[in-house]
Amino acid sequence: MKRVTLALGVLVSLALFPAAAQGANIHYWIGAVPTEWNVVPSGRDPVTGNTFLPTQTTMNTVVYKRFTRNWGQLMPNRFWVGDNDGIPGPTIRAREGDTVFVHFRNMDTMFGQSHSMHFHGFHYDFSSDGAFVPGVTGVAANVPVGRNVTYRLRARRGSVGVWPYHTHSPSMHMPESKTLYGMIVIRGRNERKPVRENIVVFSEHLGFQTINGRAFIGNTPTFRSRVGERVQWNVMAIGDSHHTYHLHGHRWRFAGQNIDTRNVGPAESWKFRITEDEPGTWLYHCHVNFHMDAGMVGLYQVAGRSARGTSGGFEGLLAGRP
Amino acid sequence: MKRVTLALGVLVSLALFPAAAQGANIHYWIGAVPTEWNVVPSGRDPVTGNTFLPTQTTMNTVVYKRFTRNWGQLMPNRFWVGDNDGIPGPTIRAREGDTVFVHFRNMDTMFGQSHSMHFHGFHYDFSSDGAFVPGVTGVAANVPVGRNVTYRLRARRGSVGVWPYHTHSPSMHMPESKTLYGMIVIRGRNERKPVRENIVVFSEHLGFQTINGRAFIGNTPTFRSRVGERVQWNVMAIGDSHHTYHLHGHRWRFAGQNIDTRNVGPAESWKFRITEDEPGTWLYHCHVNFHMDAGMVGLYQVAGRSARGTSGGFEGLLAGRP
Amino acid sequence: MKRVTLALGVLVSLALFPAAAQGANIHYWIGAVPTEWNVVPSGRDPVTGNTFLPTQTTMNTVVYKRFTRNWGQLMPNRFWVGDNDGIPGPTIRAREGDTVFVHFRNMDTMFGQSHSMHFHGFHYDFSSDGAFVPGVTGVAANVPVGRNVTYRLRARRGSVGVWPYHTHSPSMHMPESKTLYGMIVIRGRNERKPVRENIVVFSEHLGFQTINGRAFIGNTPTFRSRVGERVQWNVMAIGDSHHTYHLHGHRWRFAGQNIDTRNVGPAESWKFRITEDEPGTWLYHCHVNFHMDAGMVGLYQVAGRSARGTSGGFEGLLAGRP
């Protein structure tokens, strides 16, 4: 019965969406990997001067990491997919029309829990949902340690945007599963890419309010750009709290309004673009006061048009990439 | 003086809004009725396997229930107005141009509290507000046990949408009043109705996070549809918390963006439509992690185009109704 | 080096934004002033009848107050900039193209803390940001007691809207700094002004949920208008909580939808306009239930078209002003 449904789904896909054939097939190898994670590597909040011991800021947990083809080895840092440190997980990128195959392996030998991957934004057959439904779903929603699963995802017109992915197995409420999340970026078929793309993921860990798994300036990302560049900000939240993202010195449009602060609740995600013309060392942060005080703040350094020495190699720089 | 204002209001209405005359007059008889309500009738969360005793999940409270004309008898289940079980109360339906008369009777002999009805979305004279204002409002905002009040509501152009209604008497902060809420659906004069309409009301009761007054899969509604149907989702929240509604495997448009998750704070309400093409057993839930863990999750079953045996009688099916 | 950056910024401004030259130069003198503030001056919630002692509702704190040119004296109440009582601080008004100079003096002799002003919405050189960045910013982001700073702000096209301003010095997490906030109103070059403009700022103080620094009906603003008037509502939040603003008996448009309730998280801000045609004594309030119970509710009195005796002198009336 399940196979019939699957086969039917494939047939329906082929019949209804021939346009997808023009897109690329993209493969990702992503593991759920145990790791030690320090939320405040500097041990310090430079605004208040408060200091923290590593024992207060370090946890053993499980994160998503990307591997080379056929699980060859851990991917090195690649700024266009994130730093592959683990929080957030590797950025999954596609364009409208592409089909993405995510090969997932549960390597969580530390906690021995089953995990999964659930993807927002993409179209997929129900068998690729990765979300546990009692009595209905199979191994793809509850992958035991050592097992592999491949999720097949299609980027269609309505998929264009930025989205979360995260675990959705029965163990998702356990502390070590709350670090299993990342971002998806899907562009339109002919959408012009930005020069820089800054990924901001709000969550909470060990009582700190985190951006990309870190708390306080110097630990959270320091993004960079220069005047004249097209800069895209991708913002999402995951966890238990609603936030309000604020970027100093800049404004953008939303729903017919000029804004510089926007709500982002758990699993909400959105983007905006600016053509940079505001040099300075700007703060970006959650504007919930106690979240900012608990670490949810970072820096954005914009060099002037004539500045030298800031090109290349920055987190967020997309130049020369697809 | 109050009568003068009322009379003036009627005159202004007649003068300014003659178009309303083309609409229908619709009558609802709704009582505030004491009831015993079990938030987790199954006694079980099938995701975690956690079990609950009826004493942990059952409360005595007051709900809105619909009666036949002139309080003849309790309306039986009518899927197009909700199941009339009480949480949420009966769905109040109108089209642009209609005038709705809600005849309200306070039958709360259990707690002996005054109650009322306050309606969002509709136009109405101040005397039909149903919200207690110290020193200003009369019985309509504070209806004693045994008393009747009629609220007169007009659906004008700006009323089109989905909206909450709820008590707004001085007793609204008492626990037994926090179950007095329901949804209003107002369509445009010529708006095509969907085939299915799924009503999702987020709130919290007895420490559980609830959808339509219930917690956990199997207790919250299991909505159904089939490929090819126009399905409308009406989402609102009431109570103390902000939520983010997420539907698996589907996306819709909001403010120029593709989304599959959207914020809904207390008394916010919105709708979206999909033409169903994603067969499966999908989750819908609040994406605030601890809300989902505390019960705010349900199922949406979509049958394939060729499926048989799923027609008729489902919660949410509007076929053949106005 | 800083001077070079500043000079460069001025040159860039002159080169890129010649249109700004058509605007006005507007000067504000604003001090951070210690004060005693009573959140519930009436000592009473008229809905529940609960009473409070002044010791429960009064705090020593610091607020923004406006002075006449060159610190001549405290400005008297001017309804078009707020009542200058302190919470919120004086409303800063401009039109697209204007340049605003805010001369700030820290007069906080009570707590001896450094303070600052950080402005949303405006364009400004980084040196006018007023937000403390460790190792980068100077005195403008951390103004000691007795010192003056001038912030130079430009209202450009993307600045049109309503916005918060607030302190952003290292002391911003201290209780006495949490009352340092106000609203900015920037209109388009040729935007028609409303007849009334009602400013609603949600925050929390002393455990109460406040509107413009006060809790409960009779302490929060009672706004007034009459049928036929164009009324603008400016809503913002500041602090730790998300809210949902609701106005009884009225609806407006947002993102293609009719609404009467809208989310507002910390530092979010938005406006809407109505042409008044709903006479009555309406509630406006936060729809988070426990926020309303804790004071976040006020009155809006709308007189009929033929009413007499309500003209002139009301909070929010803009007639005859620029």
Side-chain angles (χ1 to χ4, degrees):
Chain A
M1 176 62 196
K2 196 173 288 173
R3 279 184 200 167
V4 173
T5 307
L6 270 171
L8 182 67
V10 172
L11 285 174
V12 168
S13 301
L14 291 174
L16 293 179
F17 317 113
Q22 66 177 282
N25 287 334
I26 304 172
H27 292 261
Y28 280 80
W29 283 263
I30 297 179
V33 180
T35 195
E36 186 186 85
W37 187 268
N38 189 342
V39 175
V40 191
S42 73
R44 189 164 177 276
D45 171 5
V47 174
T48 60
N50 291 339
T51 57
F52 307 92
L53 298 172
T55 51
Q56 300 172 291
T57 64
T58 305
M59 57 182 169
N60 288 321
T61 193
V62 185
V63 299
Y64 291 122
K65 291 202 179 187
R66 188 179 179 191
F67 291 77
T68 58
R69 173 172 286 270
N70 290 324
W71 309 104
Q73 58 186 67
L74 270 173
M75 286 273 280
N77 284 1
R78 286 290 181 271
F79 45 78
W80 62 91
V81 289
D83 57 13
N84 210 27
D85 270 351
I87 306 180
T91 301
I92 295 174
R93 294 185 177 280
R95 283 196 180 259
E96 183 189 350
D98 291 345
T99 301
V100 175
F101 298 85
V102 177
H103 311 287
F104 172 66
R105 181 177 291 175
N106 184 351
M107 304 172 174
D108 176 14
T109 49
M110 187 184 282
F111 299 95
Q113 294 291 334
S114 293
H115 299 294
S116 74
M117 297 185 78
H118 164 66
F119 306 89
H120 291 237
F122 282 110
H123 286 247
Y124 46 80
D125 290 337
F126 175 65
S127 57
S128 280
D129 189 18
F132 180 71
V133 181
V136 178
T137 46
V139 68
N142 200 13
V143 186
V145 179
R147 286 285 295 274
N148 288 359
V149 160
T150 294
Y151 303 98
R152 182 176 175 271
L153 313 167
R154 287 164 293 147
R156 279 158 45 178
R157 181 177 297 253
S159 303
V160 173
V162 299
W163 309 89
Y165 70 85
H166 55 88
T167 187
H168 214 309
S169 77
S171 74
M172 68 184 288
H173 63 284
M174 295 187 175
E176 65 272 15
S177 295
K178 293 190 183 302
T179 46
L180 285 169
Y181 57 80
M183 190 178 273
I184 298 159
V185 178
I186 303 175
R187 282 193 237 284
R189 195 70 239 156
N190 300 307
E191 182 182 331
R192 195 178 177 196
K193 67 179 166 52
V195 176
R196 311 265 182 174
E197 188 165 52
N198 301 330
I199 287 176
V200 172
V201 184
F202 288 149
S203 195
E204 53 262 309
H205 301 293
L206 290 177
F208 297 94
Q209 296 285 321
T210 60
I211 300 172
N212 296 5
R214 312 285 189 190
F216 304 117
I217 290 171
N219 302 302
T220 54
T222 295
F223 297 110
R224 292 177 181 84
S225 78
R226 64 177 60 195
V227 167
E229 290 181 339
R230 289 187 314 284
V231 180
Q232 180 171 315
W233 291 81
N234 302 337
V235 179
M236 65 169 255
I238 199 83
D240 287 336
S241 302
H242 281 69
H243 307 277
T244 48
Y245 169 89
H246 172 49
L247 174 60
H248 282 222
H250 298 73
R251 294 137 301 279
W252 65 96
R253 298 284 293 176
F254 168 68
Q257 187 187 340
N258 301 312
I259 63 170
D260 66 4
T261 304
R262 182 174 166 190
N263 184 64
V264 56
E268 287 196 302
S269 50
W270 41 262
K271 63 182 174 181
F272 66 93
R273 285 194 180 185
I274 45 181
T275 298
E276 191 51 74
D277 68 349
E278 311 275 11
T281 300
W282 306 102
L283 297 174
Y284 67 95
H285 60 91
C286 177
H287 218 296
V288 174
N289 278 3
F290 82 91
H291 291 183
M292 187 179 176
D293 293 346
M296 204 168 255
V297 55
L299 296 182
Y300 173 51
Q301 297 180 341
V302 183
R305 193 180 291 268
S306 60
R308 288 291 176 269
T310 59
S311 65
F314 291 123
E315 173 103 12
L317 184 66
L318 286 170
R321 295 299 312 171
Chain B
M1 175 62 194
K2 197 172 287 172
R3 281 184 199 169
V4 172
T5 307
L6 270 170
L8 184 67
V10 172
L11 286 174
V12 168
S13 302
L14 291 175
L16 293 179
F17 317 113
Q22 67 177 282
N25 287 334
I26 303 172
H27 292 261
Y28 280 79
W29 282 264
I30 297 178
V33 179
T35 196
E36 185 185 85
W37 187 267
N38 189 342
V39 174
V40 191
S42 73
R44 190 164 176 276
D45 171 5
V47 173
T48 60
N50 291 339
T51 57
F52 307 92
L53 297 171
T55 50
Q56 298 172 292
T57 64
T58 305
M59 58 182 167
N60 288 321
T61 192
V62 185
V63 298
Y64 292 122
K65 292 201 178 188
R66 189 180 179 190
F67 291 77
T68 58
R69 172 173 287 271
N70 291 323
W71 309 105
Q73 57 186 69
L74 271 173
M75 287 272 282
N77 283 2
R78 286 289 181 272
F79 44 78
W80 63 91
V81 288
D83 57 14
N84 210 26
D85 270 352
I87 305 178
T91 300
I92 295 174
R93 294 186 177 280
R95 281 195 180 260
E96 183 189 349
D98 291 346
T99 301
V100 176
F101 297 86
V102 177
H103 311 287
F104 172 67
R105 181 177 291 176
N106 184 352
M107 304 173 174
D108 176 15
T109 49
M110 186 184 283
F111 299 95
Q113 293 291 334
S114 293
H115 300 295
S116 74
M117 297 185 77
H118 165 66
F119 305 89
H120 291 238
F122 282 109
H123 285 247
Y124 47 78
D125 290 337
F126 176 65
S127 57
S128 281
D129 189 19
F132 180 71
V133 181
V136 177
T137 46
V139 68
N142 200 10
V143 186
V145 179
R147 285 286 295 274
N148 289 358
V149 160
T150 295
Y151 304 98
R152 181 175 175 272
L153 313 167
R154 287 163 293 146
R156 279 159 43 179
R157 180 175 299 252
S159 303
V160 173
V162 299
W163 309 90
Y165 71 85
H166 56 88
T167 187
H168 215 309
S169 76
S171 74
M172 67 185 287
H173 63 283
M174 295 186 173
E176 65 272 16
S177 296
K178 293 188 183 304
T179 44
L180 285 169
Y181 57 80
M183 190 178 272
I184 297 159
V185 177
I186 303 175
R187 283 194 236 284
R189 194 70 240 157
N190 300 306
E191 182 183 333
R192 195 178 176 195
K193 68 181 163 53
V195 176
R196 311 265 181 174
E197 187 164 53
N198 301 331
I199 287 176
V200 172
V201 183
F202 289 149
S203 194
E204 54 261 311
H205 301 292
L206 290 177
F208 296 95
Q209 297 284 322
T210 59
I211 300 172
N212 297 5
R214 313 285 189 189
F216 304 117
I217 290 172
N219 302 302
T220 55
T222 295
F223 296 110
R224 292 177 180 85
S225 78
R226 63 177 60 195
V227 167
E229 290 181 340
R230 290 187 313 283
V231 179
Q232 179 170 316
W233 291 81
N234 301 338
V235 179
M236 66 169 255
I238 199 84
D240 288 336
S241 303
H242 281 68
H243 307 277
T244 48
Y245 169 91
H246 172 48
L247 174 60
H248 282 223
H250 297 74
R251 293 136 302 279
W252 64 96
R253 298 285 293 175
F254 169 67
Q257 188 187 339
N258 301 313
I259 63 170
D260 66 4
T261 305
R262 184 174 165 189
N263 183 64
V264 54
E268 287 195 302
S269 51
W270 41 262
K271 62 181 175 180
F272 66 93
R273 286 193 181 186
I274 45 181
T275 297
E276 191 50 73
D277 69 349
E278 310 277 11
T281 300
W282 306 102
L283 296 173
Y284 67 94
H285 60 90
C286 177
H287 219 296
V288 175
N289 279 3
F290 81 91
H291 291 183
M292 187 178 175
D293 294 346
M296 204 168 255
V297 55
L299 296 183
Y300 173 50
Q301 297 180 341
V302 183
R305 192 180 292 270
S306 60
R308 288 290 175 269
T310 58
S311 65
F314 291 123
E315 173 103 14
L317 183 68
L318 285 171
R321 296 298 312 170
Chain C
M1 175 63 196
K2 195 173 287 172
R3 281 183 199 169
V4 172
T5 307
L6 270 170
L8 184 66
V10 171
L11 285 174
V12 168
S13 302
L14 291 174
L16 293 179
F17 317 112
Q22 65 176 285
N25 287 334
I26 304 172
H27 293 262
Y28 281 79
W29 282 264
I30 296 178
V33 180
T35 194
E36 186 186 85
W37 187 268
N38 189 343
V39 175
V40 192
S42 73
R44 189 164 177 276
D45 171 6
V47 173
T48 61
N50 291 339
T51 57
F52 307 92
L53 297 172
T55 50
Q56 298 172 293
T57 64
T58 305
M59 58 183 168
N60 288 321
T61 192
V62 185
V63 298
Y64 291 122
K65 291 203 180 187
R66 188 178 179 191
F67 290 77
T68 58
R69 173 172 286 271
N70 291 322
W71 310 104
Q73 58 185 69
L74 271 173
M75 287 273 281
N77 284 2
R78 285 291 181 270
F79 45 78
W80 63 90
V81 289
D83 58 12
N84 210 27
D85 270 352
I87 306 178
T91 301
I92 295 174
R93 295 187 176 278
R95 283 197 179 258
E96 183 188 351
D98 292 345
T99 301
V100 175
F101 298 85
V102 177
H103 310 287
F104 171 66
R105 181 177 291 176
N106 184 352
M107 304 173 175
D108 176 15
T109 50
M110 186 184 282
F111 299 96
Q113 294 290 334
S114 293
H115 300 293
S116 74
M117 296 184 79
H118 165 65
F119 305 89
H120 291 238
F122 282 109
H123 286 246
Y124 46 79
D125 291 337
F126 175 64
S127 57
S128 280
D129 188 19
F132 180 71
V133 182
V136 177
T137 45
V139 68
N142 200 11
V143 186
V145 179
R147 286 284 296 272
N148 288 359
V149 161
T150 295
Y151 303 99
R152 182 176 175 272
L153 314 167
R154 287 163 292 147
R156 278 158 44 179
R157 180 176 299 252
S159 303
V160 173
V162 299
W163 308 89
Y165 70 86
H166 55 89
T167 186
H168 215 309
S169 77
S171 74
M172 67 184 287
H173 62 284
M174 296 186 173
E176 65 272 16
S177 296
K178 293 189 184 301
T179 44
L180 285 169
Y181 57 81
M183 190 178 272
I184 297 159
V185 177
I186 303 175
R187 283 194 236 283
R189 195 69 239 156
N190 300 307
E191 182 182 333
R192 195 178 177 195
K193 66 181 165 55
V195 176
R196 311 265 182 175
E197 188 165 51
N198 300 330
I199 287 176
V200 172
V201 184
F202 289 150
S203 195
E204 54 262 311
H205 301 293
L206 290 178
F208 296 94
Q209 296 286 322
T210 58
I211 300 171
N212 297 4
R214 312 285 189 188
F216 304 116
I217 290 172
N219 301 302
T220 55
T222 296
F223 297 110
R224 291 177 182 85
S225 79
R226 63 177 61 196
V227 167
E229 290 181 339
R230 290 187 313 284
V231 179
Q232 180 171 316
W233 290 81
N234 303 337
V235 178
M236 65 170 254
I238 199 83
D240 288 335
S241 303
H242 282 68
H243 306 277
T244 47
Y245 169 90
H246 171 49
L247 174 60
H248 282 223
H250 298 74
R251 292 137 302 277
W252 64 98
R253 297 285 293 176
F254 167 67
Q257 186 187 342
N258 301 312
I259 63 170
D260 66 4
T261 304
R262 184 175 166 189
N263 184 64
V264 56
E268 287 195 303
S269 50
W270 41 262
K271 63 181 174 180
F272 67 92
R273 285 194 182 186
I274 46 181
T275 298
E276 190 52 74
D277 68 350
E278 310 277 11
T281 300
W282 305 102
L283 296 173
Y284 66 94
H285 61 91
C286 177
H287 218 297
V288 174
N289 278 3
F290 81 91
H291 290 183
M292 187 180 175
D293 294 344
M296 204 168 255
V297 54
L299 295 183
Y300 173 49
Q301 297 179 341
V302 183
R305 193 181 291 270
S306 61
R308 288 290 176 268
T310 59
S311 65
F314 291 121
E315 173 104 10
L317 184 67
L318 285 170
R321 295 298 311 170

